[in-house]
């Protein structure tokens, strides 16, 4: 049997900022910093003010955070809702956990905001990954926190929920 996200016994939880316990908030911020700041050597301020108005998808295994996604409402970062800060613990990468996070984030976005679009700021090397989820490149590559990024847009009505 090959290992994938479906046979890892992962639990997912959606929480608003106010629903996050102090311990969960600490775990989320530490998790994101370990990946986006330390691992990727991108020295930037992760706490960007959007956490308070966003929803947070926590993916846990044995009560430990192994995956994360943030869903920001429309009209804040972009005209559309936006998924971002998508991260998977290094030891579990390659098991479709990132795809699970994206799929759950897009489903929640459609349920909450009743709009057929979502916008992301994707790291350039992940273009193919997001294209596999129906996103299309919109614009040119730009520098965000020392890492090449590209804006991508998805028409959610094209996904099967």
């Amino acid at each position: 049997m090959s290992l994938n996200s479906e046979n890892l016994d992962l639990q997912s939880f959606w929480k608003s900022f106010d629903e996050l316990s102090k311990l969960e908030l600490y775990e989320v911020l530490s998790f994101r910093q370990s990946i986006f700041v330390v691992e990727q050597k991108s020295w930037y301020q992760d706490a960007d003010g959007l956490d308070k108005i966003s929803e947070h998808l926590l993916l846990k295994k044995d009560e430990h955070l192994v995956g994360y996604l943030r869903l920001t409402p429309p009209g804040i970062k972009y005209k559309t809702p936006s998924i971002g800060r998508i991260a998977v613990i290094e030891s579990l990468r390659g098991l479709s956990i990132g795809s699970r996070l994206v799929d759950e984030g897009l489903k929640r976005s459609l349920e909450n905001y009743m709009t057929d679009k979502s916008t992301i700021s994707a790291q350039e090397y992940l273009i193919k990954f997001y294209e596999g989820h129906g996103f299309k490149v919109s614009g040119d590559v730009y520098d965000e926190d020392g890492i090449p990024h590209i804006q991508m847009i998805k028409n959610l009505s094209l996904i099967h929920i």
Side-chain angles (χ1 to χ4, degrees), residues 13-122:
F13 306 91
W14 279 104
K15 296 200 175 192
S16 69
F17 184 79
D18 290 337
E19 292 171 329
L20 291 170
S21 70
K22 290 178 187 176
L23 182 58
E24 286 172 323
L25 179 58
Y26 180 84
E27 187 177 25
V28 163
L29 294 174
S30 178
F31 184 79
R32 290 185 344 200
Q33 285 180 342
S34 71
I35 293 171
F36 297 122
V37 177
V38 177
E39 180 183 323
Q40 295 183 353
K41 296 177 178 58
S42 178
W43 315 121
Y44 77 105
Q45 173 108 12
D46 177 57
D48 59 3
L50 296 178
D51 290 320
K52 291 187 253 182
I53 56 170
S54 298
E55 281 193 276
H56 306 270
L57 175 58
L58 286 66
L59 196 60
K60 294 190 173 197
K61 177 168 177 43
D62 302 325
E63 299 185 29
H64 297 285
L65 190 63
V66 297
Y68 174 84
L69 174 142
R70 179 173 76 182
L71 173 60
T72 303
I76 306 297
K77 188 171 180 179
Y78 302 107
K79 290 180 182 179
T80 69
S82 177
I83 58 172
R85 296 291 200 270
I86 302 162
V88 175
I89 194 167
E90 189 173 19
S91 62
L92 296 180
R93 291 182 194 153
L95 302 176
S96 301
I97 294 170
S99 288
R100 175 177 170 173
L101 289 166
V102 170
D103 291 344
E104 286 190 40
L106 292 173
K107 181 178 178 185
R108 183 72 164 214
S109 181
L110 184 58
E111 290 169 354
N112 287 0
Y113 304 115
M114 302 306 212
T115 180
D116 64 349
K117 292 190 178 185
S118 183
T119 307
I120 59 172
S121 177

Side-chain angles (χ1 to χ4, degrees), residues 39-40 93 122-129 147-150:
E39 180 183 323
Q40 295 183 353
R93 291 182 194 153
Q123 291 185 8
E124 183 182 28
Y125 83 95
L126 292 169
I127 288 173
K128 294 271 187 240
F129 171 78
I147 295 175
H149 280 69
I150 188 117

Side-chain angles (χ1 to χ4, degrees), residues 128-152:
K128 294 271 187 240
F129 171 78
Y130 289 112
E131 285 176 337
H133 290 276
F135 283 90
K136 306 271 187 240
V137 169
S138 174
D140 297 321
V141 174
Y142 54 91
D143 181 277
E144 185 174 311
D145 305 315
I147 295 175
H149 280 69
I150 188 117
Q151 184 173 305
M152 299 182 80

